[in-house]
Amino acid sequence: MSLAGRRIGFIGGGAMAEALAGGLIAGGVSAAQIHIAEPLAERCAQLRDRLDVAADTDYADAVRGSDLVVLAVKPDVVPTALAALRAEDLDLTSPLWISIAAGVRLETLEAGLPAKARIVRAMPNTPALIRAGATAICGNAQADASDRSDARLLFESVGFAWEADAENLLDAVTGLSGSGPAYVFLFLEALIDAGEDVGLPREAAERLAIQTVYGAAKLALDGASSPAQLREQVSSPGGTTLAGLAELDQGEFRKILARAVAAATRRSVELGEGS
Ligand SMILES: NC(=O)c1ccc[n+]([C@@H]2O[C@H](COP(=O)([O-])OP(=O)(O)OC[C@H]3O[C@@H](n4cnc5c(N)ncnc54)[C@H](OP(=O)(O)O)[C@@H]3O)[C@@H](O)[C@H]2O)c1
C-alpha cells in the first residue's frame, strides 16, 4: 500500500512539513499532489524550489480537493489556524485530518473541526527530519482503519510508525521517543567527556562515541537478537564490558532512565491538561 495518487495538503510549512513532504515524494507520491499553505511568502518560494510542490499563503487551497490534510503548525497556533479554515467556504468533513502539534489533544482538534471530521493525532520526534523518526498515532472515533493506515503510511515515509489504541498512550510516547533523542544526546555528551577523561583526544572521543551509538542502534534494529542478548554477547565473564556495566548497575542506570521517562510522561499529561 502507498499514498501514491492521494492529494495531500499541509497547513504550516515549517521543518516538519518539509520533512514529511520530502519523505512522501521519496516514497512515490507525486510532488504535484502536494500543496503546502504557509504564511511566509519567502518560505513558500523556498519550498517550491526545494520540493517542486505547490506552496502559497492561501490555506484554503491546501484543503480544497485534498484527501489528507496535515496540521503542521506550532501547537499554540492550532485553534487560530482551524478558525481561519472554518471562516472559508470549505468542506472540512471531507479530508482526513492529521495533526502533529505536540500535546494538542483529539478533543481540542474535534472542537475546532466539524463533528464528523476524521482526525488522527500523531507524535513524531526530531529524527523524522532526517527520515529516521519514531512516530505514534491515534485516531478519533470517526477515523476508520483505512484512515489510520493512511496516517501510518505518511509517518512511515519518515521512519517508524506505531498505532496506539488509546490517546493517553501518546503521553507515554512523548516521555519515551518524543523526549528520547535528548536522553541519547545527554548519554553521548557524557560518553564523550568520559572518553576524554581516560585520555582520548576530544575529536576522536566524539566520533567514536557517536558511531558507537549509531552502530549499536543499527545492530538492535536488525532484529536478529534482542537488546538484552546483544548486551550479553559482548559481556564475557571477567572482561572489560562487564566491568563497565557493573558501574552502571551500581549507579542505578535503569532506575534513573525509568524515572526520566516517567517524569517526561507526567509533564506531557500536565501540558495536555492546559491545552
Ligand atoms: N520538529 C520536530 O521534531 C517535532 C516533533 C514532534 C512534534 N512536532 C510538532 O510539529 C509541529 C510543527 O513543528 P515544526 O518543527 O515544523 O515547526 P515550525 O518549523 O515552526 O513550523 C510551523 C510552521 O507553521 C507556520 N504557521 C504559523 N501560523 C500559521 C497559520 N496560522 N497557518 C498556517 N501556517 C502557519 C509557521 O510559519 P511562520 O514561520 O511564518 O510562523 C511555520 O512555517 C509543531 O506543532 C510541533 O509541536 C515537531
Side-chain angles (χ1 to χ4, degrees):
M1 269 204 302
S2 90
L3 292 173
R6 317 298 291 281
R7 289 176 58 110
I8 302 166
F10 286 85
I11 305 296
M16 264 304 198
E18 182 174 356
L20 283 166
L24 286 168
I25 294 165
V29 173
S30 152
Q33 303 284 93
I34 296 177
H35 197 127
I36 303 180
E38 154 66 36
L40 271 184
E42 219 173 282
R43 173 68 177 151
C44 291
Q46 192 179 53
L47 289 166
R48 286 195 299 267
D49 279 355
R50 288 186 181 169
L51 299 171
D52 205 22
V53 297
D56 56 50
T57 54
D58 186 348
Y59 308 165
D61 278 354
V63 177
R64 214 172 272 123
S66 284
D67 302 304
L68 279 74
V69 178
V70 183
L71 263 177
V73 294
K74 290 279 183 211
D76 56 326
V77 178
V78 168
T80 330
L82 291 180
L85 290 172
R86 284 199 308 273
E88 304 272 348
D89 180 25
L90 289 168
D91 176 10
L92 301 182
T93 52
S94 137
L96 167 65
W97 293 87
I98 299 176
S99 167
I100 58 168
V104 178
R105 293 189 174 171
L106 283 169
E107 195 180 36
T108 308
L109 299 163
E110 283 172 336
L113 288 164
K116 293 218 167 71
R118 292 133 55 224
I119 310 171
V120 170
R121 178 185 157 195
M123 181 61 213
N125 66 2
T126 49
L129 300 173
I130 53 149
R131 294 185 205 158
T135 304
I137 62 161
C138 183
N140 73 345
Q142 270 68 38
D144 64 17
S146 100
D147 293 329
R148 300 192 310 271
S149 155
D150 283 348
R152 227 182 23 246
L153 285 172
L154 173 76
F155 293 102
E156 280 170 358
S157 77
V158 290
F160 167 76
W162 173 72
E163 185 182 341
D165 56 14
E167 190 183 5
N168 63 2
L169 289 176
L170 293 195
D171 292 312
V173 166
T174 304
L176 189 131
S177 52
S179 304
Y183 311 152
V184 176
F185 298 138
L186 179 66
F187 178 82
L188 273 175
E189 286 173 60
L191 201 58
I192 294 162
D193 288 346
E196 243 190 329
D197 288 349
V198 292
L200 290 169
R202 176 106 198 145
E203 215 174 293
E206 204 168 296
R207 199 64 187 84
L208 289 165
I210 295 171
Q211 184 68 26
T212 298
V213 169
Y214 173 72
K218 256 193 128 173
L219 260 185
L221 259 183
D222 190 40
S225 309
S226 69
Q229 286 166 333
L230 289 168
R231 174 175 49 77
E232 278 156 17
Q233 282 162 19
V234 292
S235 308
S236 19
T240 59
T241 307
L242 263 192
L245 288 171
E247 280 298 321
L248 287 175
D249 266 352
Q250 213 175 349
E252 303 202 313
F253 184 67
R254 285 172 192 264
K255 282 191 191 159
I256 291 171
L257 258 190
R259 288 211 301 274
V261 173
T265 302
R266 276 197 307 276
R267 188 69 190 128
S268 173
V269 173
E270 285 164 13
L271 291 174
E273 279 160 359
S275 82

